[in-house]
Amino acid sequence: MNARVALVTGGTGGIGTAICHHLHKQGLRVIAGYSHGGDSSHALEWLKEQAKAGYQFDIVYGDVSNFESCGEMLHEAETKVGPIDILVNNAGITRDATLRKMLAKDWDLVLRVNLDSVFNVSRHVINGMIERGFGRIINISSINGQKGQFGQTNYSAAKAGMYGFTKALAQEVASKGVTVNTVSPGYVATEMVKKMSPAVLEKVIAQIPVGRLAEPDEVARVVAFLAADEAGYITGANIAINGGQHMY
Ligand code: CAA
Ligand code: NAP
């Protein structure tokens, strides 16, 4: 059988890169999505570094907040590599502010990039997965979608919305060999967390029973687990990876 094909949105970012590595180690052909405001130089540099480290990936451009752009991204991915068997909706951003200060544009952008994106990309792959009788959709949510976070009404709302999408779609496609799940990391050592003020971050780390940030690899191995053929009975589920910061 030909290797299955995976598309990881935000594939050149912190958690995305680790997910690409783990899926590659599992024998998949991996395509990393990027946007970077339309600038490909960062993604091309990333591709070179990955090749030096022994990882052969493909990259595709797509702004996940835009439905048409996602259509073009999927067309390019499927033409270059093949039909998408595994989709990891991983692209995401923060624009933190308390609601009393939040700008409408930052509410809108965070909802579009973190939540609309899940529709924008999944819609283009779902029929192919159903026709082929196999598919894995893994949505990267967040601990802050589960528990809410001071200064993140936009991000918490978007990440919480992913749970509803996941559980509804999981029911629609369960009988077709397609599973849909969320993974909810706690605070992970990537650029996203580095943007936080050190004083706020210190307070957050003090609330994590394991006593440290997660490493991207610790999230990626769970994604790879859910992507496997053998994970066909896990659907509509959420797996938390948060060092004990939120238990429910
Ligand atoms: N809890 C309770 N009160 C808080 C607070 C907190 N975490 N942070 C600030 N406050 C209080 C201040 O003491 C102050 O109180 P008074 O008005 O009584 O003096 C008030 O709130 C200040 O309000 P502001 O609107 O002025 O807030 P700010 O501009 O100082 O800070 C913020 C806003 C920058 C968003 C800050 O709250 C913050 O950094 N919050 C954490 C956001 C966070 O965790 N982001 C995670 C990013 S990474 C990620 O999201 C990945 C993932 O999925 C985990
Ligand atoms: P990161 O390193 O900043 O990566 C974010 C990725 O999202 C980047 O590769 C970026 O690609 C992509 N992206 C942003 N806007 C996009 C757009 N409009 N179109 C396409 N891609 C876009 O952050 P990360 O920590 O790896 O985050 C990955 C995911 O994990 C996010 O969904 C995040 O919310 C979630 N998460 C992170 C943490 C954490 O603590 N780090 C915790 C829980 C959940 P370009 O630069 O190419 O645009």
Side-chain angles (χ1 to χ4, degrees):
M1 192 175 70
N2 288 337
R4 294 206 188 275
V5 178
L7 170 65
V8 182
T9 68
T12 67
I15 295 174
T17 300
I19 293 172
C20 289
H21 288 171
H22 280 259
L23 294 180
H24 180 272
K25 284 179 195 156
Q26 209 154 287
L28 304 181
R29 287 204 61 183
V30 182
I31 310 168
Y34 73 94
S35 69
H36 228 65
D39 170 16
S40 62
S41 56
H42 161 85
L44 288 167
E45 195 51 41
W46 178 88
L47 198 58
K48 259 195 239 161
E49 278 170 27
Q50 299 306 315
K52 261 193 231 160
Y55 295 101
Q56 296 302 327
F57 296 137
D58 285 275
I59 51 171
V60 286
Y61 167 80
D63 175 357
V64 297
S65 71
N66 180 299
F67 184 70
E68 281 72 33
S69 179
C70 290
E72 287 162 20
M73 171 172 77
L74 262 305
H75 179 72
E76 187 186 346
E78 301 205 330
T79 309
K80 260 190 191 169
V81 184
I84 305 301
D85 301 303
I86 292 134
L87 167 64
V88 186
N89 283 310
N90 165 72
I93 56 164
T94 53
R95 290 292 183 274
D96 295 351
T98 50
L99 189 65
R100 59 188 174 175
K101 292 181 182 169
M102 189 175 287
L103 303 175
K105 73 173 175 56
D106 287 337
W107 168 268
D108 190 49
L109 190 62
V110 167
L111 268 288
R112 285 199 289 122
V113 174
N114 291 281
L115 182 58
D116 291 1
S117 58
V118 175
F119 169 80
N120 290 342
V121 187
S122 306
R123 180 65 182 81
H124 291 292
V125 300
I126 196 69
N127 285 329
M129 288 179 175
I130 291 170
E131 278 159 26
R132 294 187 299 278
F134 179 88
R136 299 279 181 266
I137 298 181
I138 301 153
N139 298 319
I140 309 299
S141 182
S142 163
I143 183 176
N144 292 344
Q146 297 178 284
K147 72 170 190 59
Q149 170 64 347
F150 193 103
Q152 288 198 310
T153 50
N154 49 4
Y155 185 82
S156 298
K159 292 300 192 186
M162 282 181 161
Y163 300 127
F165 177 96
T166 298
K167 289 186 269 189
L169 181 59
Q171 291 177 42
E172 292 180 17
V173 295
S175 64
K176 312 290 181 193
V178 182
T179 67
V180 192
N181 293 290
T182 50
V183 166
S184 297
Y187 285 71
V188 187
T190 69
E191 288 305 315
M192 185 174 269
V193 160
K194 286 183 200 151
K195 283 184 199 144
M196 293 173 66
S197 98
V200 173
L201 183 57
E202 201 177 306
K203 282 190 197 149
V204 168
I205 293 174
Q207 294 160 2
I208 305 173
V210 169
R212 61 171 175 83
L213 298 176
E215 291 302 324
D217 275 344
E218 292 176 301
V219 176
R221 63 190 308 138
V222 176
V223 173
F225 172 80
L226 290 171
D229 283 26
E230 295 75 12
Y233 208 66
I234 307 172
T235 196
N238 174 55
I239 302 187
I241 311 161
N242 63 36
Q245 193 186 350
H246 181 65
M247 301 179 188
Y248 58 95

